[in-house]
């Protein structure tokens, strides 16, 4: 790691690995919020896509472009000329590429881990991105979660359904509410859902006890920054025609203050995330139980900022600056 002495006074060089910036939804994009805050605080930003990263003889390289961002829904970014640099020369690399969490994503974390060993602070930490599957990692905090089963065995899934009467079934690699099913006991579609989710018993999937609180209270996203909770949660209330508490699936986002249960959950999970180098994480909570721990590119900043006139991204950037103070 680079020397932290007197570094806060200077502009940090921050490379952001993300999806194509011209395709984002600027009103909702948390990565843009982070970039706006970093720029406002005097740091120098660079933009890079997954395809622009490579390893040569163990050294991580990138084709990066300087970027200027604006809080403008029509014209939010201007890119400069492409330049080739060693990724280790960056002070910070923000890994904000959205899932799918496939082998290409994993290969990218290897490249970023080499950049990490060569001097850059990579957030979130590449090894953590690989280790902390957003659904499986809840098993490390089972005391915070509703009953959960991860299996390839369709018979076990049926047993879990019979035990809990109503369950949620979803793939381990999905995002944005894709392929999430709510199943009631005696549902004649249960067999085909379990077959589809497990590819006839050849792949793991997850089933969880259905939490009816989602209907009224929603699926709340709590953002954890350097182990501490942001001041508000975003409750995502499903539409009247859908079971899913995902904004991408049409849920409505309503901000709320954290309650005592939220704070307890963060006290259990946050310190572990900090220790593992996961500086910006979103946990999903339904009825007081954690259902997912989102480490790849959690969202929710823009919605909360708009509703509460706050600046959550600045809390994240300040947490980064502390690493260099």
């Amino acid at each position: 790691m680079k020397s932290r002495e007197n570094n806060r006074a200077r502009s940090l060089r921050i490379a952001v690995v993300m999806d194509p910036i011209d395709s984002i939804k600027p009103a909702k994009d948390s990565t843009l919020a982070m970039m706006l805050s970093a720029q406002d605080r005097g740091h120098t930003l660079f933009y890079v896509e997954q395809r622009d990263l490579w390893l040569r003889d163990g050294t991580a390289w990138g084709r990066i472009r300087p970027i200027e961002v604006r809080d403008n829904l029509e014209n939010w970014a201007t890119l400069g000329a492409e330049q080739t640099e060693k990724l280790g020369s960056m002070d910070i690399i923000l890994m904000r590429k959205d899932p799918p969490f496939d082998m290409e994503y994993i290969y990218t974390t290897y490249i970023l881990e080499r950049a990490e060993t060569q001097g850059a602070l990579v957030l979130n930490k590449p090894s953590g991105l690989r280790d902390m599957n957003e659904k499986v990692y809840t098993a490390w905090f089972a005391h915070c979660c509703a009953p959960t089963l991860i299996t390839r065995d369709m018979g076990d899934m049926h047993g879990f359904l019979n035990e809990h009467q109503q369950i949620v079934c979803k793939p381990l690699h999905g995002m944005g509410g894709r392929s999430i099913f709510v199943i009631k006991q005696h549902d004649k579609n249960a067999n085909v859902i379990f077959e589809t989710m497990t590819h006839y018993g050849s792949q793991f999937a997850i089933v969880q006890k259905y939490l009816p609180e989602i209907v009224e209270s929603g699926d709340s996203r709590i953002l954890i920054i350097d182990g501490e909770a942001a001041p508000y949660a975003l409750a995502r209330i499903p539409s009247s025609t859908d079971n899913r508490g995902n904004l991408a699936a049409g849920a409505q986002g309503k901000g709320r203050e954290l309650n005592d249960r939220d704070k307890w959950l963060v006290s259990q999970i946050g310190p572990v995330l900090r220790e593992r180098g996961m500086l910006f994480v979103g946990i999903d909570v339904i009825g007081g139980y954690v259902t997912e721990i989102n480490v790849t590119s959690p969202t929710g900043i823009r919605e909360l900022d708009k509703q509460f006139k706050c600046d959550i991204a600045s809390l994240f950037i300040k947490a980064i600056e502390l690493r260099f103070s």
Side-chain angles (χ1 to χ4, degrees):
M1 185 66 61
K2 295 178 174 66
S3 170
R4 297 178 180 179
E5 194 173 358
N6 298 322
N7 276 0
R8 175 61 187 94
R10 68 174 175 84
S11 171
L12 298 174
R13 303 176 78 231
I14 303 176
V16 184
V17 182
M18 61 185 294
D19 290 304
I21 195 165
D22 58 358
S23 66
I24 68 170
K25 297 178 180 178
K28 297 183 177 182
D29 197 89
S30 291
T31 303
L32 179 61
M34 293 174 179
M35 297 169 78
L36 286 166
S37 180
Q39 181 176 270
D40 287 346
R41 295 180 66 80
H43 303 305
T44 304
L45 295 173
F46 299 90
Y47 165 82
V48 60
E49 294 181 30
Q50 199 173 18
R51 63 184 179 181
D52 298 319
L53 307 174
W54 74 93
L55 286 174
R56 174 64 190 264
D57 300 327
T59 299
W61 292 85
R63 282 181 285 271
I64 66 174
R65 301 177 70 179
I67 185 170
E68 177 187 347
V69 290
R70 292 171 294 278
D71 196 2
N72 184 313
L73 301 185
E74 302 297 327
N75 181 20
W76 55 88
T78 299
L79 293 169
E82 183 181 284
Q83 57 199 61
T84 298
E85 289 204 30
K86 293 180 180 179
L87 295 178
S89 70
M90 294 288 121
D91 295 301
I92 310 291
I93 300 174
L94 299 184
M95 175 48 167
R96 292 287 301 175
K97 171 70 179 69
D98 285 341
F101 189 86
D102 53 15
M103 285 306 301
E104 289 301 303
Y105 194 103
I106 291 174
Y107 296 146
T108 299
T109 67
Y110 291 136
I111 296 173
L112 294 179
E113 191 163 2
R114 291 303 299 161
E116 185 178 53
T117 64
Q118 291 154 9
L121 175 62
V122 182
L123 301 170
N124 283 326
K125 193 173 180 65
S127 60
L129 292 174
R130 289 196 301 273
D131 291 347
M132 299 179 186
N133 176 277
E134 305 193 333
K135 297 173 180 65
V136 179
Y137 193 58
T138 58
W140 273 249
F141 305 95
H143 61 296
C144 300
C145 303
T148 300
L149 172 68
I150 297 171
T151 185
R152 306 161 46 139
D153 191 291
M154 291 179 282
D156 289 344
M157 287 181 164
H158 277 288
F160 191 86
L161 174 57
N162 291 334
E163 178 183 356
H164 295 290
Q165 312 295 310
Q166 189 171 7
I167 64 173
V168 176
C169 183
K170 50 191 175 181
L172 295 179
H173 60 274
M175 64 165 288
R178 296 173 187 169
S179 302
I180 294 178
F181 294 90
V182 175
I183 312 168
K184 292 183 179 180
Q185 192 176 29
H186 308 306
D187 188 331
K188 292 183 178 180
N189 288 310
N191 279 333
V192 70
I193 292 171
F194 295 154
E195 290 166 359
T196 301
M197 290 295 99
T198 67
H199 287 242
Y200 293 89
S202 66
Q203 293 184 8
F204 286 99
I206 184 171
V207 287
Q208 296 170 316
K209 179 182 178 180
Y210 176 76
L211 300 169
E213 293 87 347
I214 191 172
V215 176
E216 298 294 333
S217 302
D219 181 349
S220 290
R221 166 64 53 82
I222 301 173
L223 296 173
I224 301 179
I225 300 169
D226 201 14
E228 302 289 337
Y232 305 101
L234 185 67
R236 298 160 298 176
I237 313 296
S239 72
S240 60
T241 59
D242 206 311
N243 288 308
R244 297 171 294 177
N246 301 86
L247 298 180
Q252 182 181 5
K254 294 183 178 180
R256 63 170 180 81
E257 293 185 355
L258 301 184
N259 58 40
D260 289 342
R261 175 69 176 182
D262 297 328
K263 295 173 183 177
W264 180 81
L265 292 171
V266 173
S267 75
Q268 300 299 297
I269 299 171
V272 179
L273 297 173
R274 179 196 294 121
E275 184 179 346
R276 295 287 301 273
M278 312 307 281
L279 216 66
F280 190 81
V281 176
I283 63 172
D284 292 344
V285 178
I286 302 173
Y289 294 99
V290 174
T291 60
E292 294 189 14
I293 300 175
N294 295 274
V295 302
T296 49
S297 57
T299 61
I301 288 178
R302 300 284 269 178
E303 292 86 352
L304 290 173
D305 283 355
K306 182 178 180 180
Q307 292 184 40
F308 294 104
K309 308 302 181 185
C310 55
D311 186 2
I312 292 172
S314 70
L315 300 177
F316 176 55
I317 301 303
K318 289 175 184 177
I320 292 174
E321 290 169 352
L322 287 175
R323 298 294 195 275
F324 290 83
S325 62

